[in-house]
Amino acid sequence: MTSRTAPPTAEGHRFTTGHASIGETVRQLELSRTFGRGGATPSIADDIALAVATEIIEGRLSPGDDLNSVELARSFDSSRTPVREALLVLEREGFVEITARRRPRVARLLLREVRELYNLRAELYALVSRAVVREASQADLETLRGHQRGLDAAVADDDVDRYFWINVQFRNTEAAIARDATLRRVLDSLGARALQLRHLSLSQPGRLDPSAQDHARLLRAYEDRDAELAAALTQSLVRAGLAAIERSGWTGEAP
C-alpha cells in the first residue's frame, strides 16, 4: 500500500500523510470529530494536529518522544503559530504534554491508568450493547454488517491500520444506535486517550482474526436481540484488548 510522507520532523521522524483507503477516511472523520472540527474547513493547524495525532495513535511516536516545533513548521511549510495551535489542541485531547522550558512531548499513560480506563470502557460499552439490542433497526444492523465486512477484509489483507479505523467506526456506530446522548459524551471524553491503546492492542501478533470473530459473535447477539450475551461479549472484547496491552510490555514510560 502506497503512502506519501512529509519532510522529516523532530529527531528525523517523518510524518505520513495517509493511506488511500477506507481507513484513511474514517481516521480523518474521527479525528476531526474529536477535535471539534467536523463541519469546518480544515486549517493548517488542523492538518498538523491530525498528522501528529495519527503518528501517536498508530505507534510511530512513543510516550515521551519530543516534538520539535521548528521542524514541524518546516515540515508543513507553515509559521510557528499554526504549530502552537495544533499542539494546544493535542494537549487538550491528552495526546501531548506541554511544560515550561522544554519541548512538547508525547503524553504518557501509565499501565495503572490504562487498566482503569479499560475497566471503565468495558462497563460503558456493556450499556451501549444493551441499548443497541433495544434500539437498533434493521437498517442499523445492516450498517454494522457493512462494518463487519470491512473488518473481515482488513484481516484478509493483514492491514492493522485499516482494521483499527473500521473498528473505531463499528464502535462509533454502536454508540450512535444507542441513542443516549449522555453516554455518547462520556465515551467521547475517553475516546482520544483510548485510541492509541486500542491500536497498540490490535497491532499485537495474532490479534486481528480473533477480534473480527468476536465482533461477528457480537453482531449475531444484536441480531438475536440477546442483550445479556451482547453485553458479556462486548466486555470480553474490551478486556481482551487490555490483556494484549499488558502482554505487549506497555508501561507508558519513554523507552
Side-chain angles (χ1 to χ4, degrees):
M1 184 177 295
T2 346
S3 63
R4 296 180 292 113
T5 55
T9 63
E11 320 308 329
H13 185 83
R14 302 178 78 88
F15 278 86
T16 58
T17 55
H19 313 289
S21 71
I22 186 172
E24 163 71 3
T25 301
V26 176
R27 184 186 76 190
Q28 289 179 340
L29 289 173
E30 173 64 11
L31 291 178
S32 294
R33 190 176 67 84
T34 297
F35 298 152
R37 300 300 180 92
T41 302
S43 65
I44 295 175
D46 294 331
D47 291 342
I48 296 169
L50 189 145
V52 175
T54 299
E55 298 298 282
I56 294 169
I57 291 165
E58 296 183 356
R60 290 180 287 275
L61 285 171
S62 301
D65 281 356
D66 284 344
L67 296 168
N68 187 320
S69 300
V70 174
E71 292 297 332
L72 276 169
R74 185 176 300 143
S75 294
F76 289 90
D77 193 24
S78 76
S79 69
R80 299 276 299 277
T81 299
V83 172
R84 284 193 293 270
E85 291 174 4
L87 292 174
L88 287 172
V89 169
L90 292 165
E91 181 187 37
R92 182 193 72 205
E93 298 300 333
F95 288 109
V96 169
E97 296 171 352
I98 301 176
T99 54
R101 294 184 294 280
R102 66 159 297 156
R103 285 179 181 172
R105 63 182 180 182
V106 179
R108 295 179 169 90
L109 194 61
L110 301 179
L111 185 57
R112 171 183 56 79
E113 298 172 291
V114 172
R115 288 174 176 143
E116 292 169 353
L117 176 60
Y118 266 74
N119 286 335
L120 180 56
R121 289 183 66 243
E123 296 302 319
L124 292 172
Y125 273 108
L127 295 175
V128 169
S129 287
R130 289 188 179 97
V132 169
V133 168
R134 184 175 64 250
E135 299 288 344
S137 66
Q138 286 304 312
D140 292 330
L141 293 176
E142 185 53 42
T143 300
L144 289 175
R145 291 184 196 107
H147 297 333
Q148 183 64 44
R149 289 190 289 272
L151 292 175
D152 293 338
V155 171
D157 292 341
D158 195 27
D159 189 331
V160 173
D161 290 346
R162 178 154 54 98
Y163 185 95
F164 166 72
W165 289 108
I166 297 171
N167 180 287
V168 169
Q169 192 175 36
F170 190 107
R171 284 302 195 190
N172 286 346
T173 299
E174 288 175 305
I177 292 169
R179 296 172 176 83
D180 185 326
T182 301
L183 180 56
R184 181 66 183 267
R185 282 195 299 273
V186 174
L187 286 167
D188 283 348
S189 74
L190 302 175
R193 298 223 73 183
L195 288 173
Q196 177 187 15
L197 299 165
R198 290 164 67 184
H199 188 280
L200 171 67
S201 165
L202 289 169
S203 68
Q204 300 308 301
R207 278 280 289 139
L208 293 192
D209 189 55
S211 174
Q213 290 182 33
D214 286 344
H215 279 81
R217 293 187 189 100
L218 177 59
L219 181 54
R220 286 196 294 274
Y222 289 152
E223 292 167 339
D224 293 340
R225 305 294 177 171
D226 190 331
E228 293 311 307
L229 178 58
L233 286 168
T234 208
Q235 288 185 316
S236 177
L237 268 165
V238 174
R239 288 175 177 146
L242 173 59
I245 292 168
E246 292 173 328
R247 290 194 302 270
S248 77
W250 170 276
T251 65
E253 297 288 357

